[in-house]
Amino acid sequence: MISSKKQAAVSKSSSLAIVETNTDDKKVVVPIEAPIVSSYNDRIRPLLDTVDRLRNLNVMREGIQLPTIVVVGDQSSGKSSVLESLAGISLPRGQGICTRVPLVMRLQKSSSPEPEIWLEYSDKVVPTDEEHIAKAICAATDVIAGSGKGVSDAPLTLHVKKAGVPDITMVDLPGITRVPVNGQPENIYEQISAMIMKYIKPQESIILNVLSATVDFTTCESIRMSRQVDKTGERTLAVVTKADMAPEGLLQKVTADDVSIGLGYVCVRNRIGEETYEEARMQEELLFRTHPMLSLIDDEIVGIPVLAQKLMLIQATMIGRCLPEIVRKINMKMETAVLELNKLPMVMASTGEALMTLMDIIGSAKESLLKILIQGDFSEFPDEPKIHSTARLAEMLSQFSDNLQAQPKDVTEFLMDEIKILDECKCVGLPNFIPRSAFMAVLSQHVDVIHMKPVEFIRKIWDYIEGVLISVLSKYSENFPQIQSSIKRAGRNLITKIKEQSVNRVSEIVEMEKLTDYTCNPDYMKTWTEKTAAQQSFIHAVLSDVKKPENFSLTGFGDVKISHLRKYHAHLLQQAFDMKMRITSYWTIVLRRIVDNLALYLQFSVKNLVNTRFQKEVVAEMVDPRGGGGVERMMEESPSVASKREKLKKSVKLLKESKDVVAAIVDQTSGFGDR
């Protein structure tokens, strides 16, 4: 039994209770764990171990944020000294910016009497020891950020496994300075500010804001930055350094909390001069116990041991709160990575496999072309209006029709072209008959004027279809970059052939209009009859000896000048007027016929392209060794795809391991973050 004379004492800086007992007249000292330590081991350590394993797996490179303590403060606020006290190791100290890169400190409590310390940066692992750690950090910083006074956002990781340190991971960032000194870039403030915001912005970050007791907290730049991302202060803890240098009013400053520090304050005294860490802790405890002003501050918010315990509890609470979201992100990232990996082309083991895959690509492209060029189904490209082809082709045809049928400005005087041609085509015969050769000559002139418009239109059409075809082929061959250029070249070659054939065909359609003057469209006779009704009135106005008007109003022509026609005979004027009305009536039908013929030919040739020529001719060119040997090349995996495959495999492996790590802890800790 334990003697009634047992004594127990627990120091505020100790994690053990010492029980002294009398057994068989012998004194035995039995160390037992205090309740806080037992709770730490049962509930907190598994959380910290889980996140530590996730860090070791480097899950953050997959874009998954882990709860991290980020240390910020104005220059010379004492950040590095606080970290030294927590870790029990010496860090670079001095005037100006000592920390020039993000220093990730991973502290892990160890039972071994010998500490293990090493640095990691730029894929290097550099072992060091307590005596040389500051020198090693400076050397690594020079490698990362240069030997000057500039900064870099490339991290340097310091691993410390040592007895007596808390299980904490912290990121120490450069101190905030507004005025650059010699050797520093002019935008040093902007660089450091951007770096700090990058680390404190994630909701998983715990902000450890280091403030000097010698300054007004409300003027601290680090406070301004942390409040930008954490307005309520719910993830900000303040550490007040140099308490021994400015004890007056410190109690009021930390109790008034004018700057909204949600997680509270901890006041500390840092190591001075050549003090050992044990001596520094003893002096700190003595200071806050005996100083007339500082002793008034509550014991629960003073001292490095209190700070270490608070940080562990806060970090564990944040881990418990964030764990479900971390699990969700890991699952989502893994599903995405597996999906992307499955989309990659399989590695071809034989010519047969390569040929089957090639046929699948071309077959899928054909189905897509059938939808967008013929059926008007653009569900594959909902956000790319340019590829909604049936609508675009209809628009282009409508624009062509409007352009073709637009009335050109008559550069010659009314009826003069007809009179000149009649004069050249006259023959021995009755004067009141229009020579057919004259009509055909006028018709031929009209055709020559518009001859290039249908040709330019059909070229434009096939240029557009080529763009659609290449987009579709690119989409279905994107996983096969080794053949993508070949298959697109085969598609372009096919369109080039069709375009050439189409230009020839359209030229024939236009040239046919020169061969004869024929239509069965009743509109011709109807229109000609209406237009010739004004013939006698027109001739009378031209040849009038009384009024001699300058102009005459004709339906469809407006006011036309006629004074220049008075020198011609009546029968020539009648022939010219009649031919003008005939060619005008007939020309409208010719233009519509050209548009109709092109529309029908376009539909026919597009369907022929998709249904007949595309698959047959592209496959033929791809399997022809003289055309690039597409089948053989499919068996060669491009470096980019091989690299992507390897990267995805590593991501999937990492995420699966991360999922296994968190799976065991999730059920145990559900709701811990809300306690």
Side-chain angles (χ1 to χ4, degrees):
M1 291 180 61
I2 298 176
S3 168
S4 60
K5 295 180 181 180
K6 68 181 178 180
Q7 295 178 350
V10 181
S11 164
K12 74 175 181 180
S13 61
S14 173
S15 61
L16 294 179
I18 308 298
V19 180
E20 184 181 325
T21 69
N22 287 324
T23 305
D24 298 331
D25 298 325
K26 296 180 180 179
K27 288 185 177 181
V28 180
V29 178
V30 182
I32 63 170
E33 289 185 334
I36 185 66
V37 178
S38 176
S39 176
Y40 163 78
N41 287 333
D42 292 343
R43 295 171 55 201
I44 298 178
R45 188 56 189 259
L47 289 169
L48 297 176
D49 284 347
T50 297
V51 171
D52 201 45
R53 291 174 67 188
L54 291 176
R55 288 189 204 281
N56 286 332
L57 288 170
N58 206 8
V59 74
M60 293 179 77
R61 75 182 181 192
E62 297 295 326
I64 297 172
Q65 294 290 337
L66 297 177
T68 304
I69 298 169
V70 181
V71 186
V72 298
D74 291 6
Q75 186 174 316
S76 302
S77 61
K79 291 189 299 85
S80 296
S81 297
V82 170
L83 296 176
E84 280 186 338
S85 299
L86 287 168
I89 56 174
S90 297
L91 297 175
R93 303 170 78 181
Q95 295 299 317
I97 297 180
C98 302
T99 305
R100 298 193 291 123
V101 300
L103 178 63
V104 182
M105 293 186 62
R106 297 179 63 176
L107 309 182
Q108 186 175 356
K109 186 176 180 180
S110 172
S111 59
S112 172
E114 293 297 324
E116 294 179 58
I117 304 173
W118 70 96
L119 296 172
E120 285 184 10
Y121 61 96
S122 305
D123 296 325
K124 296 179 183 177
V125 176
V126 181
T128 186
D129 54 37
E130 291 185 88
E131 184 180 352
H132 300 96
I133 191 166
K135 185 177 179 181
I137 290 174
C138 288
T141 299
D142 287 346
V143 172
I144 297 170
S147 57
K149 297 182 180 179
V151 297
S152 169
D153 65 355
L156 167 63
T157 302
L158 169 64
H159 296 261
V160 179
K161 294 181 72 173
K162 181 181 175 183
V165 301
D167 290 89
I168 292 174
T169 296
M170 297 176 289
V171 180
D172 183 23
L173 297 175
I176 304 165
T177 178
R178 280 195 171 275
V179 181
V181 298
N182 291 337
Q184 289 180 340
E186 289 299 317
N187 66 340
I188 187 72
Y189 170 75
E190 288 74 14
Q191 288 187 39
I192 293 175
S193 297
M195 190 188 309
I196 290 173
M197 295 302 287
K198 172 184 172 182
Y199 278 89
I200 66 175
K201 189 173 183 179
Q203 291 301 304
E204 296 84 359
S205 293
I206 302 158
I207 305 169
L208 184 61
N209 211 319
V210 181
L211 310 169
S212 172
T214 60
V215 301
D216 181 357
F217 296 169
T218 60
T219 65
C220 290
E221 187 70 10
S222 62
I223 288 289
R224 186 189 68 80
M225 287 187 183
S226 62
R227 291 181 69 176
Q228 279 186 299
V229 297
D230 183 28
K231 289 183 171 53
T232 61
E234 63 181 358
R235 52 188 181 88
T236 301
L237 173 68
V239 181
V240 184
T241 63
K242 306 179 184 180
D244 51 331
M245 297 174 62
E248 297 84 0
L250 184 56
L251 175 61
Q252 289 74 22
K253 288 168 87 171
V254 298
T255 53
D257 188 23
D258 294 330
V259 290
S260 301
I261 303 295
L263 296 177
Y265 295 79
V266 177
C267 302
V268 300
R269 173 196 180 273
N270 289 327
R271 186 167 64 101
I272 299 174
E274 299 301 319
E275 288 178 344
T276 66
Y277 293 105
E278 291 75 14
E279 290 171 345
R281 295 290 65 77
M282 290 174 62
Q283 290 298 322
E284 180 184 60
E285 185 176 355
L286 182 64
L287 175 70
F288 286 109
R289 191 175 70 242
T290 62
H291 192 282
M293 295 181 185
L294 298 180
S295 61
L296 300 176
I297 302 175
D298 194 322
D299 285 354
E300 293 184 357
I301 63 168
V302 297
I304 289 294
V306 169
L307 174 62
Q309 192 164 13
K310 273 183 176 288
L311 287 174
M312 283 192 297
L313 287 170
I314 290 168
Q315 188 175 29
T317 302
M318 183 66 81
I319 292 169
R321 186 184 304 160
C322 296
L323 210 53
E325 180 64 12
I326 291 172
V327 172
R328 187 191 70 80
K329 287 181 179 178
I330 288 174
N331 288 333
M332 182 181 70
K333 294 272 185 182
M334 189 167 70
E335 288 172 7
T336 302
V338 169
L339 189 62
E340 285 189 41
L341 188 59
N342 291 336
K343 283 182 179 179
L344 290 179
M346 64 178 183
V347 179
M348 305 298 169
S350 67
T351 304
E353 284 184 357
L355 181 60
M356 288 296 294
T357 303
L358 177 63
M359 294 300 294
D360 284 343
I361 292 172
I362 296 174
S364 298
K366 176 183 175 180
E367 289 300 316
S368 183
L369 291 171
L370 182 67
K371 289 178 181 178
I372 60 180
L373 283 173
I374 297 174
Q375 297 174 354
D377 179 355
F378 48 83
S379 54
E380 284 186 72
F381 304 91
D383 300 321
E384 298 182 56
K386 188 176 180 181
I387 300 183
H388 302 172
S389 300
T390 52
R392 301 294 81 80
L393 290 174
E395 288 174 359
M396 292 166 75
L397 184 66
S398 177
Q399 290 169 3
F400 165 70
S401 176
D402 292 343
N403 177 260
L404 188 67
Q405 297 183 68
Q407 292 287 346
K409 187 175 181 180
D410 196 349
V411 295
T412 60
E413 294 178 308
F414 189 65
L415 293 188
M416 288 309 299
D417 285 340
E418 287 77 14
I419 288 173
K420 288 177 182 177
I421 288 178
L422 285 168
D423 192 47
E424 292 300 319
C425 294
K426 61 189 175 186
C427 60
V428 178
L430 295 174
N432 59 338
F433 285 91
I434 299 175
R436 187 166 183 271
S437 59
F439 184 85
M440 294 305 297
V442 173
L443 177 60
S444 182
Q445 284 183 351
H446 278 63
V447 172
D448 287 340
V449 168
I450 60 95
H451 179 271
M452 288 308 299
K453 288 185 177 181
V455 172
E456 290 168 357
F457 166 72
I458 205 65
R459 283 178 177 154
K460 181 179 177 182
I461 285 288
W462 285 111
D463 286 343
Y464 166 75
I465 293 174
E466 179 180 316
V468 172
L469 180 70
I470 296 306
S471 295
V472 171
L473 286 174
S474 296
K475 174 184 176 182
Y476 286 100
S477 64
E478 63 184 354
N479 288 331
F480 302 89
Q482 66 270 39
I483 63 150
Q484 196 169 59
S485 60
S486 299
I487 200 168
K488 289 196 288 187
R489 183 172 60 249
R492 288 192 183 96
N493 290 342
L494 172 59
I495 295 297
T496 298
K497 285 191 285 185
I498 295 177
K499 187 193 296 185
E500 185 178 344
Q501 293 164 359
S502 295
V503 167
N504 292 336
R505 177 59 180 151
V506 168
S507 295
E508 288 177 351
I509 290 173
V510 176
E511 285 297 315
M512 283 192 298
E513 298 297 342
K514 290 183 179 182
L515 298 180
T516 187
D517 48 341
Y518 171 77
T519 181
C520 64
N521 191 329
D523 283 351
Y524 167 71
M525 287 302 298
K526 178 183 177 183
T527 304
W528 174 73
T529 301
E530 291 173 352
K531 289 182 179 297
T532 54
Q535 185 180 33
Q536 292 304 317
S537 301
F538 176 81
I539 300 298
H540 178 74
V542 172
L543 300 179
S544 173
D545 292 330
V546 183
K547 294 184 179 180
K548 294 186 178 182
E550 287 289 319
N551 300 303
F552 186 84
S553 180
L554 272 175
T555 303
F557 297 92
D559 284 345
V560 296
K561 188 177 179 181
I562 61 174
S563 58
H564 62 285
L565 299 175
R566 292 196 170 94
K567 59 183 177 181
Y568 297 104
H569 294 292
H571 72 276
L572 182 58
L573 292 175
Q574 289 173 347
Q575 285 182 315
F577 186 90
D578 188 24
M579 190 160 67
K580 183 75 170 180
M581 299 306 122
R582 287 180 185 274
I583 195 68
T584 302
S585 302
Y586 182 61
W587 187 240
T588 301
I589 291 171
V590 168
L591 294 179
R592 290 175 181 170
R593 186 159 59 203
I594 290 174
V595 173
D596 288 347
N597 282 336
L598 260 63
L600 295 174
Y601 175 69
L602 176 61
Q603 289 293 92
F604 171 80
S605 54
V606 169
K607 287 185 178 179
N608 188 47
L609 162 69
V610 176
N611 294 329
T612 306
R613 301 189 63 173
F614 171 72
Q615 190 164 7
K616 181 173 69 175
E617 297 190 31
V618 172
V619 169
E621 183 166 338
M622 290 297 293
V623 299
D624 185 354
R626 295 170 298 176
V631 175
E632 288 73 18
R633 292 186 64 187
M634 286 200 71
M635 299 174 67
E636 306 168 4
E637 186 165 57
S638 71
S640 61
V641 173
S643 174
K644 184 177 181 181
R645 187 192 305 279
E646 191 60 28
K647 183 180 178 182
L648 286 170
K649 282 182 177 179
K650 287 181 179 178
S651 289
V652 170
K653 181 176 181 293
L654 185 154
L655 291 164
K656 280 182 177 177
E657 291 175 356
S658 301
K659 185 176 180 181
D660 292 339
V661 166
V662 298
I665 198 71
V666 170
D667 293 337
Q668 300 175 31
T669 59
S670 59
F672 177 75
D674 299 323
R675 295 180 187 178

